[in-house]
Amino acid sequence: MITLDIAGQRLEAEEGSNLGELFKRSYPQGFKEGVAAKLNGRVVDFMTPLRESGSLELIPVDSPEGLAVLRHSTAHLMASAVMKLFPEAKLAIGPAIEDGFYYDFDVDRPFSPEDLAAIEKGMHDIAQEDHAFVRGELKRDEALDRFKKQGEKYKAELVEGLPDPSVSTYTHSFFTDLCRGPHVTKTRFLKHFKLTSVAGAYWRGDSNRPMLQRIYGTAFPTQKQLEEHLQRIEEAKLRDHRRVGAALDLYSVHEEAGGGLIFWHPHGAAIRRTVEDFWKAEHLRRGYTLVYTPHIALVDLWKQSGHTEHYAQNMYFLKVDEKDYVLKPMNCPFHVLIYKGKKHSYRELPVRIGELGTVYRFERSGVLHGLARVRGFTQDDAHIFCTAEQVEGELRGVLDFTRFMLATFGFQHFKVELSVRDPKRKEDYLGSDAEWELAEGALERVVKESGLPYKRAEGEAVFYGPKIDIKIGDALGRDWQCSTIQFDFNLPRRFEVSYVGSDGQEHPAYMVHRALLGSLERFFATLIEHYGGDFPVWLAPVQVQLITIADAQVPYAAEIKELLLSKGIRVEADVREEKMGAKIRDAEMLKIPYMLILGRKELEERSVSVRSRKKGNEGALGLQAFVEKLVAEIESRQ
Ligand SMILES: [Zn+2]
Ligand SMILES: [Zn+2]
């Protein structure tokens, strides 16, 4: 006999009885709403035979687990529609993923958009026939035999890799799939889905194995949710930094120069310069010293830092004049050398050394992605050297600084993840218990005090120290990894980083790495997608576009341009012999915040007609008045 607790009720059932039947009897409303259940914390479907006692709860369809069941079941439905249309196709795997599902097929030719439409239609037809998902069990050898006979070589390989003596299958209509579950009970629950794309994918991600065709799709409990999701995908496509970057001529990548290496064009560079100037000014204001360090260093330095041991697969090595150099993958050892250039008294601490330091790290070409994943990038890096007593204050300062910076760039939503060591494996970490306790305690207190939502990730810390990562939410509600504050108990030991205490003795210093924006390249991608290329005036690559109506105003335009340039305003003049309407449209395409229309009247009155991107036509304004207003707006960084 099996005893179950369901929604406060205690229930007895025969071993092997069907979970769905049990649910229907004891909790009919829940059965109607639910897609699956959780038995002792594990997700199971209603077709699962009962084999253990414990607590059973219902999974609502819009919970992450419920959505995964819905989406994975839709993957089965898709596979059945594919098999109907392409009986020769061989099946690989079809899991639920974040935001949807996919299924991999071995087919003679890639699927076309027309194929996807036909498959989607087939899915709806099969779903409406309302087949039940029927769970079956086969002995491992039987399953192997059956898949081999059917020519399903991928399924056979999967079974071969399973240790279990028996495997479960799920069948709806004519279609049977090897699967552990869970699934919805009937195909009619699968209504609101969409196939979104198709791409090549190697079997088991191995480029030596066959290339399969992966169809991606998504499913939701309601049509409204599905449509909203599809709209978000469209919006994300429109904002894709690679698309916007090309349309606004912000940056490029050249295969002849190498993948993952970014060329910042004048308009992209203007934004970067603005970010850098702001970054430097704020660092100086907050007591950092700024440095520049070389791009290469002898391999011996990287041996001492431990990078050749732990990081070699990401490093570029150079041999010149019989000496081995490394293109720097990190700035840290360089800042340590600067710190160690002289003795530091406790009175001088904390020392905060910052640099916009360009580093190079090898990444496989398959993972490179626009500005977001590159091989050469500039970190907004800094290293803080301080005493134990100063740790908490420094962390508080860094977190406050981070929020200030990110809020200035228009980000309001933050999520913090605190990575601490696994308390059961303390011996695997470098540094003393006292150091770890101090660092983790200070990080957690500071994060708590900030009121930001945070998650404590046990065992996620790297071996040399705990850290916090800060993710920012953009205009579409997507998260971007941005800031990191990381303790290091490794480098100070390897380089004997110390200070002279009030007792006249040398003491090891605490060392914290921190990057507020992460890398300028990745942060630029975030900015582009957050604003969709429609930057606020202080960041806009061109802040003012001058538009002449006739040749008579060209000298006036030149005069205004010179005046604005002298105020540090980024201005361009469109003096082509085009119609005013065409010039306005072109400036709108470039999302320029202000257009100044210069005609006969403006020239006579020494005024400008202002067209603001945000507010539309603002009418005529004296030249000086406009300049003052604009300078104030830029300084406000709004
Ligand atoms: Zn399945
Ligand atoms: Zn560092």
Side-chain angles (χ1 to χ4, degrees):
M1 229 15 167
I2 280 178
T3 330
L4 290 172
D5 290 316
I6 312 178
Q9 294 181 52
R10 173 151 285 216
L11 217 82
E12 299 220 314
E14 293 281 333
E15 179 162 345
S17 59
N18 178 294
L19 203 64
E21 290 304 318
L22 204 78
F23 242 106
K24 233 190 254 179
R25 226 167 56 212
S26 62
Y27 192 25
Q29 190 51 35
F31 180 71
K32 251 192 251 163
E33 291 165 7
V35 283
K38 231 185 215 178
L39 179 59
N40 296 325
R42 188 166 40 87
V43 181
V44 291
D45 61 31
F46 292 143
M47 291 74 84
T48 310
L50 261 178
R51 299 233 163 86
E52 58 187 284
S53 299
S55 76
L56 195 62
E57 54 185 310
L58 199 73
I59 294 175
V61 68
D62 5 30
S63 67
E65 286 153 328
L67 282 172
V69 172
L70 182 77
R71 288 166 179 168
H72 170 66
S73 305
T74 314
H76 276 248
L77 180 66
M78 175 170 82
S80 65
V82 167
M83 293 313 286
K84 216 169 193 174
L85 290 162
F86 304 88
E88 301 303 311
K90 298 292 169 240
L91 300 160
I93 53 165
I97 50 172
E98 200 187 344
D99 287 344
F101 62 85
Y102 69 77
Y103 210 116
D104 288 346
F105 304 95
D106 191 347
V107 278
D108 297 341
R109 58 163 179 88
F111 293 111
S112 66
E114 292 73 30
D115 293 335
L116 286 201
I119 294 165
E120 207 176 281
K121 161 121 196 349
M123 289 167 71
H124 281 291
D125 292 344
I126 299 170
Q128 275 157 24
E129 287 161 16
D130 199 18
H131 304 283
F133 276 90
V134 182
R135 190 175 192 276
E137 270 182 34
L138 286 175
K139 293 255 175 321
R140 194 175 164 280
D141 293 345
E142 283 171 7
L144 198 56
D145 210 42
R146 182 158 149 190
F147 286 125
K148 276 187 176 157
K149 267 195 199 125
Q150 291 171 346
E152 291 288 1
K153 54 183 175 181
Y154 304 104
K155 292 290 178 195
E157 191 179 323
L158 290 171
V159 174
E160 272 169 346
L162 292 174
D164 322 53
S166 68
V167 299
S168 60
T169 58
Y170 281 83
T171 303
H172 69 272
S173 182
F174 67 96
F175 178 80
T176 297
D177 204 350
L178 168 74
C179 194
R180 197 171 277 143
H183 306 91
V184 298
T185 49
K186 294 195 159 193
T187 58
R188 87 177 127 90
F189 290 120
L190 309 172
K191 274 192 207 127
H192 313 292
F193 52 79
K194 177 88 193 155
L195 302 185
T196 47
S197 63
V198 59
Y202 290 110
W203 168 235
R204 304 214 137 157
D206 181 346
S207 59
N208 298 314
R209 309 293 307 269
M211 167 74 91
L212 309 174
Q213 288 295 309
R214 175 171 297 177
I215 304 181
Y216 287 97
T218 190
F220 282 87
T222 68
Q223 189 64 20
K224 185 163 172 279
Q225 283 166 304
L226 174 65
E227 276 164 19
E228 281 168 0
H229 175 77
L230 295 175
Q231 214 172 351
R232 271 197 304 277
I233 294 181
E234 279 312 304
E235 183 59 29
K237 271 189 205 158
L238 287 177
R239 287 168 181 253
D240 188 311
H241 70 273
R242 292 166 302 174
R243 184 183 168 280
V244 176
L248 299 183
D249 193 20
L250 301 176
Y251 78 95
S252 59
V253 178
H254 299 268
E255 284 311 315
E256 61 267 47
L261 301 171
I262 304 301
F263 290 70
W264 295 71
H265 292 202
H267 286 175
I271 297 177
R272 173 167 172 167
R273 209 165 46 245
T274 308
V275 172
E276 289 186 349
D277 290 348
F278 172 58
W279 187 93
K280 287 179 191 164
E282 285 304 322
H283 277 73
L284 294 173
R285 214 161 65 83
R286 290 174 191 249
Y288 284 77
T289 50
L290 300 182
V291 300
Y292 298 95
T293 60
H295 284 231
I296 62 172
L298 288 170
V299 74
D300 310 66
L301 180 73
W302 305 102
K303 279 185 186 150
Q304 193 183 347
S305 66
H307 284 93
T308 47
E309 202 180 317
H310 298 291
Y311 207 66
Q313 73 279 9
N314 293 95
M315 283 155 52
Y316 289 92
F317 293 87
L318 322 161
K319 196 178 194 81
V320 184
D321 197 19
E322 296 304 305
K323 287 210 157 74
D324 291 310
Y325 291 87
V326 170
L327 202 46
K328 73 169 163 182
M330 295 184 192
N331 306 299
C332 336
F334 292 45
H335 293 184
V336 168
L337 292 184
I338 292 178
Y339 176 84
K340 277 175 62 81
K342 63 172 200 157
K343 266 202 188 319
H344 293 272
S345 141
Y346 68 98
R347 292 173 199 278
E348 297 161 42
L349 265 39
V351 169
R352 309 183 186 105
I353 300 175
E355 178 180 11
L356 292 167
T358 303
V359 297
Y360 295 88
R361 297 179 187 172
F362 176 74
E363 298 269 8
R364 283 181 301 107
S365 56
V367 301
L368 298 176
H369 181 83
L371 292 163
R373 194 86 181 257
V374 293
R375 287 177 176 156
F377 55 95
T378 300
Q379 291 182 298
D380 71 312
D381 211 356
H383 295 91
I384 296 172
F385 302 91
C386 66
T387 68
E389 296 73 42
Q390 291 167 334
V391 161
E392 193 162 324
E394 286 304 298
L395 295 177
R396 193 172 291 120
V398 172
L399 192 57
D400 175 69
F401 194 2
T402 307
R403 292 177 77 173
F404 166 76
M405 287 286 280
L406 297 174
T408 308
F409 286 107
F411 300 100
Q412 300 300 340
H413 302 286
F414 308 102
K415 271 186 213 160
V416 181
E417 189 168 300
L418 168 64
S419 299
V420 297
R421 66 183 168 163
D422 183 342
K424 293 193 285 295
R425 297 188 297 113
K426 282 185 178 173
E427 63 287 356
D428 294 351
Y429 299 87
L430 211 78
S432 68
D433 265 353
E435 283 170 312
W436 276 86
E437 275 158 25
L438 182 137
E440 290 182 354
L443 281 172
E444 187 148 21
R445 277 193 299 279
V446 164
V447 172
K448 248 189 201 149
E449 192 184 280
S450 74
L452 295 175
Y454 81 100
K455 203 176 89 202
R456 198 181 144 94
E458 304 284 342
E460 287 298 307
V462 285
F463 74 93
Y464 55 82
K467 65 166 178 176
I468 55 177
D469 289 306
I470 301 171
K471 283 185 180 154
I472 51 179
D474 74 2
L476 297 188
R478 299 169 303 173
D479 288 337
W480 297 75
Q481 166 61 38
C482 216
S483 327
T484 302
I485 307 172
Q486 167 83 58
F487 274 90
D488 193 334
F489 302 132
N490 177 40
L491 283 187
R493 279 178 169 72
R494 287 178 173 264
F495 285 92
E496 293 174 12
V497 177
S498 63
Y499 67 93
V500 179
S502 54
D503 54 2
Q505 302 292 309
E506 299 244 351
H507 297 270
Y510 275 81
M511 178 174 174
V512 175
H513 312 251
R514 45 112 286 193
L516 307 185
L517 308 178
S519 88
L520 295 184
E521 283 73 9
R522 205 183 139 68
F523 188 67
F524 192 28
T526 312
L527 275 182
I528 293 171
E529 299 203 7
H530 178 60
Y531 287 114
D534 212 343
F535 299 104
V537 67
W538 77 285
L539 286 172
V542 179
Q543 294 165 317
V544 176
Q545 178 89 319
L546 304 175
I547 292 176
T548 51
I549 293 176
D551 281 350
Q553 295 97 43
V554 172
Y556 184 44
E559 186 196 328
I560 297 177
K561 186 173 175 183
E562 201 177 317
L563 172 70
L564 295 184
L565 286 175
S566 76
K567 304 277 181 196
I569 292 162
R570 295 185 288 272
V571 53
E572 286 179 6
D574 187 348
V575 295
R576 292 173 301 163
E577 278 183 50
E578 285 283 344
K579 290 234 163 56
M580 183 178 74
K583 291 185 181 184
I584 290 175
R585 267 197 306 282
D586 287 350
E588 273 168 358
M589 291 290 287
L590 293 173
K591 306 179 193 289
I592 298 171
Y594 285 104
M595 293 179 226
L596 301 184
I597 316 291
L598 311 173
R600 194 179 343 141
K601 189 159 156 284
E602 287 80 9
L603 174 59
E604 273 166 20
E605 293 173 355
R606 294 195 59 75
S607 68
V608 293
S609 276
V610 183
R611 276 181 75 103
S612 145
R613 185 162 172 78
K614 267 195 240 152
K615 297 182 195 150
N617 211 330
E618 292 193 55
L621 213 59
L623 181 56
Q624 282 304 335
F626 171 74
V627 171
E628 277 165 31
K629 186 170 154 290
L630 181 60
V631 168
E633 190 182 345
I634 291 169
E635 282 172 358
S636 76
R637 301 199 180 94
Q638 291 295 304

